Amino acid sequence: GENVEQHPSTLSVQEGDSAVIKCTYSDSASNYFPWYKQELGKRPQLIIDIRSNVGEKKDQRIAVTLNKTAKHFSLHITETQPEDSAVYFCAARGLGNTPLVFGKGTRLSVIA
Amino acid sequence: EAGVVQSPRYKIIEKKQPVAFWCNPISGHNTLYWYRQNLGQGPELLIRYENEEAVDDSQLPKDRFSAERLKGVDSTLKIQPAELGDSAVYLCASSRASNQPQHFGDGTRLSIL
């Protein structure tokens, strides 16, 4: 089955700097890659997703890139703000009705 | 639109007791998921419903866990009897279809004493 590895497990950046979180996946048939943000005690919120037919997607300060050959995808947050502090999860899903498999999460701290 | 609603938000029980969680998905979402999230980990799928049919329950510990979605809308997840290792957050999610983005509820935090 699919296996998703996420790095780093913790990340601290200064306010205004960029943050990058990387994930690798094992199933070359995976075609959908969402990213979720989870604040303490709250629900995971979908912040951006990408499908395998595109290499990059942007939404204001966040972007996701996908390298199908290397089987990795990354989340980029620019001009970080304290409210970006949270745990971020990547996930991958294969073809058909295979389940969404999550990484173990990255705890991002933005220091004011 | 209203999000996924779960209740209760917190539950504390003694081991060997039964417990049930309830989920109301986003209106019009045919696919419903139950996940378990252990501390410091990502969500792990327990069961997926397409309308009222459970189409993926391979990760559900069937000796003690059960779920139902009788009318294809609300769903309940039950544990009987609960064990210490069941302490976790139980998340419900829904999507319009299985290939569409999933949206999560706030979860039920279960603590077993």
Side-chain angles (χ1 to χ4, degrees):
Chain A
E2 176 66 276
N3 183 51
V4 177
E5 299 284 340
Q6 184 171 348
H7 301 280
S9 57
T10 60
L11 178 61
S12 291
V13 299
Q14 292 289 328
E15 181 179 2
D17 288 351
S18 295
V20 180
I21 303 170
K22 299 180 180 181
C23 289
T24 60
Y25 59 98
S26 61
D27 185 355
S28 57
S30 288
N31 62 359
Y32 176 64
F33 308 92
W35 286 88
Y36 286 84
K37 174 184 179 182
Q38 188 174 31
E39 297 178 57
L40 189 62
K42 296 190 176 182
R43 69 182 69 188
Q45 283 190 303
L46 179 67
I47 56 172
I48 196 168
D49 58 7
I50 191 168
R51 297 188 184 271
S52 59
N53 57 343
V54 297
E56 183 176 4
K57 184 176 179 181
K58 290 184 179 180
D59 183 2
Q60 299 182 353
R61 295 187 297 109
I62 59 174
V64 58
T65 58
L66 171 64
N67 183 327
K68 289 189 292 183
T69 303
K71 292 189 287 187
H72 68 69
F73 56 112
S74 301
L75 178 71
H76 304 253
I77 307 174
T78 58
E79 301 174 22
T80 54
Q81 302 167 3
E83 50 265 39
D84 294 329
S85 297
V87 178
Y88 291 80
F89 292 97
C90 65
R93 185 178 67 211
L95 294 173
N97 292 323
T98 55
L100 200 57
V101 177
F102 286 81
K104 292 188 176 182
T106 296
R107 181 174 299 280
L108 173 64
S109 299
V110 180
I111 303 166
Chain B
E1 64 182 1
V4 176
V5 179
Q6 290 187 246
S7 68
R9 289 281 282 121
Y10 305 93
K11 190 73 177 179
I12 301 173
I13 62 171
E14 294 185 342
K15 63 181 181 182
K16 300 185 181 180
Q17 294 301 303
V19 65
F21 316 122
W22 175 81
C23 173
N24 180 239
I26 294 171
S27 178
H29 282 200
N30 296 321
T31 310
L32 183 146
Y33 313 79
W34 282 103
Y35 287 88
R36 177 167 56 191
Q37 186 176 25
N38 292 312
L39 191 63
Q41 303 291 317
E44 296 177 321
L45 181 69
L46 292 172
I47 190 168
R48 174 169 64 93
Y49 281 92
E50 295 290 348
N51 298 301
E52 66 275 9
E53 182 182 359
V55 295
D56 184 356
D57 62 355
S58 57
Q59 300 303 310
L60 190 72
K62 298 181 184 63
D63 57 335
R64 297 183 300 107
F65 286 65
S66 64
E68 60 183 15
R69 193 186 185 199
L70 293 176
K71 296 183 179 179
V73 181
D74 294 0
S75 177
T76 56
L77 177 68
K78 297 178 182 178
I79 308 175
Q80 183 171 12
E83 297 180 351
L84 290 175
D86 296 332
S87 294
V89 175
Y90 290 83
L91 292 163
C92 180
S94 71
S95 60
R96 290 193 182 279
S98 58
N99 63 349
Q100 296 299 306
Q102 297 179 26
H103 300 274
F104 285 85
D106 285 329
T108 296
R109 181 176 296 277
L110 175 66
S111 298
I112 310 296
L113 303 178

